[in-house]
Amino acid sequence: MSPSTSSATRRRAWLCAFQWGLVQAFVLDTLGRFLRNYYRATTGVAFPPDWVVSIQFAAPLGLLVGGFGGYRWVTSGRSAASASAHRKRVVFVGALFVGWALAIVPTTVFQLVLDERLFTVPYFVLPTLTALSVFAGASLLAYRAEAGWYRKRRNRLVGGAAGGCTGVLVGVFGFVVYSWYLLATQTNYSLNGGAGIVAAACVGAAAGYARTEGDRAGDRAREYLVLLLVSALSLSLAVGLVTLALAVVGVSVFLGSSVVVPAIPVVGSVALAGYLAFVAETTLVGRFVDG
């Protein structure tokens, strides 16, 4: 096996590992959310038992265990490692990852329309049905849609996804800033940022879809989208761990910081992904997903 072939196989194995891990984390998180909503709908208690919470907490472990299994599955020769199989995995992983991130939009719409009824029978199943629809859509797009159909629409789809994810983060940032303003001015007002997040996501998706036409724009949007989601996840985890560590050692987070802290991963991820994708014009994601 030539060095270039070996390198391509390793990249494909890493992607398969991420696919397996992502699916296991997705299943655990969806199951945990379903049981939590079921428990709340049938008992009226907002906090589920510890064993239900532990299922969701096990999602990162599922990512690691599934990732190891997927990597071994490819490197041992028991799974297809061809360029065609790799492209299908790329589409599936991207669609599932993006759909999972954007699932907050329909879930927020349900909550705006139903309010507390969302956590009653039978409406509590709507978030789970949304998650299952995301998984089904990713599977259909990757393994059932014709390759030619997807190639013609790839740039638009990726641009719309990038714009939608950016819109969600902008909506969250606006909600955080407005919350800080209300606290700073001691304004007594019932605040719900769901409508703003949904509106920002829809406007961002429409703008991204309309502006991403050529292959170069599509490649930049793909680079930006992956970097945005990875950096947002990484920065959120880092901020959470730092906040937890400070709480353990007895350092209290004062009120202003407790409102600003959620904005750090939002602003940081958008700034970092935007710089790397459109200013530095990195190609790390392109080299990885192209196999």
Side-chain angles (χ1 to χ4, degrees):
M1 183 180 293
S2 65
S4 61
T5 303
S6 177
S7 177
T9 301
R10 283 196 299 271
R11 288 198 299 270
R12 293 166 186 171
W14 280 113
L15 182 66
C16 185
F18 186 63
Q19 181 188 30
W20 279 41
L22 184 64
V23 168
Q24 291 205 25
F26 178 86
V27 169
L28 289 171
D29 183 73
T30 301
L31 178 61
R33 291 178 186 275
F34 170 77
L35 292 174
R36 185 184 66 187
N37 291 340
Y38 171 78
Y39 187 84
R40 181 174 179 177
T42 55
T43 65
V45 179
F47 299 100
D50 292 341
W51 67 271
V52 173
V53 178
S54 65
I55 293 177
Q56 277 190 278
F57 284 170
L61 180 61
L63 181 65
L64 294 176
V65 173
F68 177 77
Y71 186 84
R72 292 293 301 161
W73 187 257
V74 173
T75 55
S76 63
R78 287 178 289 177
S79 177
S82 63
S84 176
H86 179 75
R87 285 193 295 269
K88 291 179 179 178
R89 290 193 185 105
V90 167
V91 176
F92 176 81
V93 167
L96 182 60
F97 202 16
V98 171
W100 196 2
L102 291 178
I104 186 178
V105 176
T107 301
T108 302
V109 172
F110 294 145
Q111 192 159 15
L112 288 173
V113 174
L114 297 172
D115 198 24
E116 288 300 317
R117 288 186 298 159
L118 180 60
F119 304 106
T120 61
V121 179
Y123 301 112
F124 76 93
V125 300
L126 290 176
T128 303
L129 292 178
T130 299
L132 294 178
S133 299
V134 167
F135 189 88
S139 301
L140 290 174
L141 187 62
Y143 297 106
R144 292 292 182 267
E146 294 182 2
W149 181 92
Y150 174 73
R151 278 196 298 269
K152 290 179 181 178
R153 295 163 177 81
R154 189 206 73 169
N155 295 333
R156 297 286 195 185
L157 292 174
V158 172
C165 290
T166 303
V168 169
L169 293 178
V170 169
V172 171
F173 177 72
F175 175 70
V176 170
V177 171
Y178 191 52
S179 300
W180 176 83
Y181 168 78
L182 293 179
L183 288 172
T185 58
Q186 297 183 350
T187 303
N188 186 14
Y189 184 78
S190 178
L191 181 64
N192 187 341
I197 293 174
V198 171
C202 292
V203 171
Y209 184 89
R211 292 178 60 86
T212 310
E213 184 175 1
D215 288 339
R216 186 179 186 280
D219 291 341
R220 290 297 92 208
R222 181 179 60 177
E223 194 86 7
Y224 169 79
L225 177 60
V226 175
L227 292 171
L228 177 70
L229 293 176
V230 172
S231 59
L233 184 62
S234 302
L235 289 175
S236 297
L237 180 61
V239 170
L241 290 176
V242 170
T243 303
L244 178 61
L246 291 175
V248 169
V249 300
V251 178
S252 61
V253 179
F254 48 86
L255 186 60
S257 294
S258 65
V259 177
V260 174
V261 162
I264 295 176
V266 174
V267 176
S269 59
V270 173
L272 179 62
Y275 173 78
L276 292 177
F278 299 111
V279 179
E281 296 190 350
T282 57
T283 58
L284 294 175
V285 173
R287 289 202 300 267
F288 180 75
V289 300
D290 290 336

